């Protein structure tokens, strides 16, 4: 029975991600989700006690997948600043290609809580913090990595929203200049 339950959990998560990808988080109906995978609403609640629990699980799964993809993409790059630039490019290009899912990943309540939880719950966050520590160490900058994370993440989120809204498109030169400026200001 445990295998069936895990399989059902996985099907629920995958279908929830597909529905979010297509229509956004606001349009996610648990009744429609349950129906799409052949469950009653009551049966759904045996797997996830609340919609928030489901959204948290989807956020964690997306974070794990993002971490794995990023590790693969960044694996051959040795310079930590270049890794940060490539990471930002990957994220921002996904905002263009998959706006609903990226909006969900960055702005749903569970994602907003990422700074309130300890290390290990959102692997992608841990990966970014480590990259920032590596950049700071390389440059001999002695600020709290959390400060640069907030600055960089604020830029990525804001820029991602502009891309998501169709106001602008991804410009790698802007990202490179912004990171350079953030590091120079941090070094003062």
């Amino acid at each position: 029975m445990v295998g069936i339950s895990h399989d059902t959990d996985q099907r629920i998560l995958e279908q929830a991600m597909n529905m979010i990808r297509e229509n956004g988080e606001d349009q996610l109906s648990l009744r429609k989700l349950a129906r799409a995978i052949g469950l009653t609403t009551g049966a759904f609640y045996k797997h996830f006690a609340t919609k928030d629990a489901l959204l948290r699980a989807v956020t964690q799964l997306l974070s794990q997948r993002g971490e794995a993809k990023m590790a693969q993409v960044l694996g051959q790059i040795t310079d930590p600043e270049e890794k940060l630039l490539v990471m930002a490019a990957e994220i921002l290009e996904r905002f263009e290609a998959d706006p609903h899912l990226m909006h969900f990943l960055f702005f749903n309540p569970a994602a907003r809580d990422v700074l309130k939880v300890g290390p290990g719950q959102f692997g992608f966050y841990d990966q970014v913090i480590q990259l920032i520590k590596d950049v700071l160490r390389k440059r001999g900058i002695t600020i709290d990595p959390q400060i640069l994370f907030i600055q960089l993440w604020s830029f990525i989120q804001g820029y991602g929203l502009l891309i998501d809204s169709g106001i602008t498109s991804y410009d790698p030169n802007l990202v490179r200049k912004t990171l350079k400026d953030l590091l120079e200001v941090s070094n003062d």
Side-chain angles (χ1 to χ4, degrees), residues 40-186:
T40 65
T41 306
F44 167 85
Y45 283 111
K46 291 180 181 176
H47 296 274
F48 295 95
T50 64
K51 186 174 183 178
D52 286 344
L54 170 67
L55 296 179
R56 185 169 197 61
V58 170
T59 302
Q60 287 176 321
L61 182 59
L62 285 170
S63 178
Q64 290 166 357
R65 288 181 179 177
E67 176 187 16
K69 179 168 176 28
M70 208 56 74
Q72 181 182 9
V73 168
L74 301 178
Q76 301 301 316
I77 302 169
T78 56
D79 181 65
E81 286 179 49
E82 190 61 29
K83 283 184 177 188
L84 273 178
L85 288 169
V86 169
M87 177 213 61
E90 288 288 321
I91 291 169
L92 293 166
E93 287 170 0
R94 291 248 352 248
F95 263 105
E96 284 185 318
D98 214 350
H100 290 308
L101 203 57
M102 291 303 287
H103 192 274
F104 169 78
L105 181 59
F106 274 69
F107 300 107
N108 81 76
R112 289 190 307 255
D113 288 344
V114 73
L115 296 177
K116 298 176 188 171
V117 299
Q121 289 198 24
F122 293 96
F124 185 66
Y125 165 78
D126 297 338
Q127 188 179 39
V128 174
I129 287 292
Q130 186 57 54
L131 272 176
I132 287 170
K133 288 178 180 177
D134 293 345
V135 168
L136 294 174
R137 189 172 22 262
K138 174 187 170 195
R139 286 198 165 221
I141 301 171
T142 58
I143 63 166
D144 180 355
Q146 195 68 25
I147 292 171
L148 184 56
F149 171 80
I150 290 170
Q151 293 170 327
L152 181 62
W153 215 243
S154 296
F155 168 73
I156 290 172
Q157 284 185 321
Y159 194 31
L161 278 177
L162 293 173
I163 292 168
D164 180 31
S165 300
I167 294 170
T168 192
S169 57
Y170 171 67
D171 177 359
N173 293 324
L174 176 64
V175 176
R176 186 173 297 278
K177 179 165 179 11
T178 301
L179 178 60
K180 181 180 177 230
D181 291 349
L182 286 172
L183 290 171
E184 293 198 10
V185 168
S186 296

Side-chain angles (χ1 to χ4, degrees), residues 16-36:
M17 282 189 285
N18 288 336
M19 292 174 86
I20 292 167
R21 179 179 286 117
E22 291 173 20
N23 301 307
E25 172 193 358
D26 294 343
Q27 298 300 313
L28 180 64
S29 158
L30 296 185
R31 182 172 287 125
K32 289 178 184 176
L33 172 62
R35 191 176 330 124

